[in-house]
Each structure stands twice: as C-alpha cells, then as structure tokens.
Amino acid sequence: MSLADSTVLVVDDDFRVASVHVGFVEAVPGFRVVGQAGSAAEALRQARELRPDLVLMDVYLPDGDGLDVVRQLLADPDPDPDPDPSTGSGTGPAVIVISAANDLATVRRAVQLGALHYLVKPFGFAELAERLTAFRQAQERIAALGDAATQDDVNRLFDLLRPAPASVPDEGRRLAPTLQAVLDAVTARRTDASAQEIATDIGISRTTAQRALTQLEQSGLVRLELRYGSTGRPEHRYVARRR
C-alpha cells in the first residue's frame, strides 16, 4: 500500500522560526505542511480541524504551555469512525517537541506524554530530517503489517524511531553519479545556489536536484541556508562545506 504524504502542523510562537521549520519539513520527501500556528489555542483548533499525522510542538507559547496542548490532543484522538490505516487517521497525531527548554522536568513530562522525539533549539535541518524520515519509515511499516504484529515487527518499529545519526561519507567513498554531479556543481559556485540553479547547471530536473541536495545536506557535504524575502516562505540555498 502506498502512503500519501504525511501531513504536519508546525507550532511556534515566533513566525520566522516557524517558517524555517516549515521549510525544513517540506524539504523532506513524503511530508506536507498543512498548518502553522503561533499559540496554544490556534494549535489545538488547527490540530482538531486538520487532523495532521504529526505535530511539531513548541513548549513556550504566548497563551499557554505546548505540552498542555499535547496532553489534550492525545487524550482526545481523531474521532474518525472509519480510520484508514494508510494515513494514520483514527488516532491522535504523533508529536515531536521542538523547544529551547532543556530542563529535565520539561523533558520528562514530554516523554511521559508520549512525544516521539524532543529537539532542543537551535537545531539543524539534518537533525529534524532524521526524525521525520524515521517517522515516515515507521508509518510505512505499520501500513504494511496485518492486524497483528509479532515481537520482531514491534522491535523493528521501535528501532526505526531511534535512527542512527547520519554519517559523513569517507573521503574515498564514491557518491552516486547524480549526487556527485550535484555536489560538483555546488562546489564550483562561489556563492550559494538554489535547487533550480543547480538543475539548470547540470541539465536535470529541479525535483531531482532538490532530492540530491537534501541527501547531501543530511550527509554533511553541503549546508542549507535560508534566504528571507519581504514576504512568503524563505528560499532554500545551498553551499558546499569546505573540507
């Protein structure tokens, strides 16, 4: 069974930070942001209306505690009477907490509430991408299972949610041809470049260039930078990491 894109609600009281997180999420294949909220009340309303598969939840919100929103969401699951196992509907959303709060009491509370992960701000794209990819892989495995799971199935699911950090390729390890071509194109530029610019440079589609750039960023070979304009979402720009 092929899964539809996993839907995500991004919650953060700082609009600019939220926009960065939106950009991060939408750079990972298989994910689509369906909402952005800056307060506890708005997060709760959008989560109940949009029924996202995953919520990125800040803790410090102007009108309340993000973990109180998590508690309410998990205590009041999606009321869909006929859930589709390929989309995850019929249950409350999964939650990844994203916060500057690093005190043990807050972290313990998030764990007790059932948060999948806890990312302390500031964090990079690769850290979030690892966790999103793990979530996506777990959802795909769940969708492929029958009505019951063996202990091995359960072990694999929990292993997926504890991904190993992405490693930087050894100097002598060869990249796939497309990845190498994209890396060479980024390295050849004196300034940052967009996926479209790289695609034009080497004659591939923008989608292929974006996918390759995401993989190279996760491997630590290029760095993602976000350029803000006067309006709209930030533009994704990439520069090579000098080694």
Side-chain angles (χ1 to χ4, degrees):
M1 181 182 295
S2 177
L3 279 180
D5 284 351
S6 297
T7 55
V8 182
L9 170 63
V10 175
V11 182
D12 198 290
D13 68 325
D14 186 319
F15 177 81
R16 175 159 290 193
V17 171
S19 296
V20 171
H21 295 163
V22 168
F24 282 177
V25 171
E26 294 194 333
V28 180
F31 287 88
R32 177 169 56 90
V33 174
V34 293
Q36 182 176 326
S39 68
E42 184 65 12
L44 193 59
R45 183 188 68 78
Q46 288 198 37
R48 287 174 170 167
E49 290 181 359
L50 300 173
R51 299 179 183 178
D53 300 310
L54 178 67
V55 178
L56 302 187
M57 180 63 71
D58 194 7
V59 172
Y60 299 135
L61 297 172
D63 58 341
D65 184 331
L67 294 184
D68 284 338
V69 177
V70 173
R71 177 183 54 76
Q72 293 181 69
L73 291 177
L74 298 182
D76 181 23
D78 185 339
D80 187 347
D82 185 21
D84 179 351
S86 70
T87 63
S89 62
T91 62
V95 176
I96 295 177
V97 176
I98 48 173
S99 177
N102 61 357
D103 60 284
L104 186 57
T106 301
V107 175
R108 181 187 298 115
R109 187 174 167 219
V111 172
Q112 291 171 339
L113 286 170
L116 286 182
H117 295 288
Y118 193 115
L119 284 174
V120 178
K121 298 177 184 177
F123 53 84
F125 170 73
E127 294 174 279
L128 179 58
E130 284 174 3
R131 286 148 179 86
L132 292 178
T133 300
F135 170 78
R136 180 71 179 179
Q137 290 172 341
Q139 293 303 299
E140 289 172 347
R141 188 172 293 273
I142 289 171
L145 293 175
D147 294 333
T150 67
Q151 185 61 56
D152 284 343
D153 291 330
V154 173
N155 292 343
R156 291 190 190 100
L157 283 172
F158 278 86
D159 286 343
L160 284 173
L161 293 172
R162 293 189 293 267
S167 59
V168 177
D170 297 334
E171 291 289 351
R173 189 181 304 170
R174 298 188 63 182
L175 294 171
T178 300
L179 287 176
Q180 187 63 61
V182 170
L183 178 59
D184 290 345
V186 176
T187 304
R189 282 179 167 263
R190 295 184 178 180
T191 60
D192 55 25
S194 68
Q196 183 59 62
E197 290 167 346
I198 295 300
T200 300
D201 285 350
I202 60 178
I204 60 177
S205 71
R206 183 193 177 284
T207 300
T208 299
Q210 181 64 70
R211 186 179 301 114
L213 287 164
T214 298
Q215 292 180 45
L216 292 169
E217 200 281 338
Q218 291 178 15
S219 297
L221 296 176
V222 303
R223 184 176 70 252
L224 170 64
E225 296 184 348
L226 298 173
R227 179 182 297 175
Y228 290 91
S230 56
T231 60
R233 293 175 180 169
E235 180 185 11
H236 290 211
R237 310 286 297 182
Y238 296 86
V239 293
R241 290 185 183 274
R242 306 297 174 181
R243 304 183 64 188

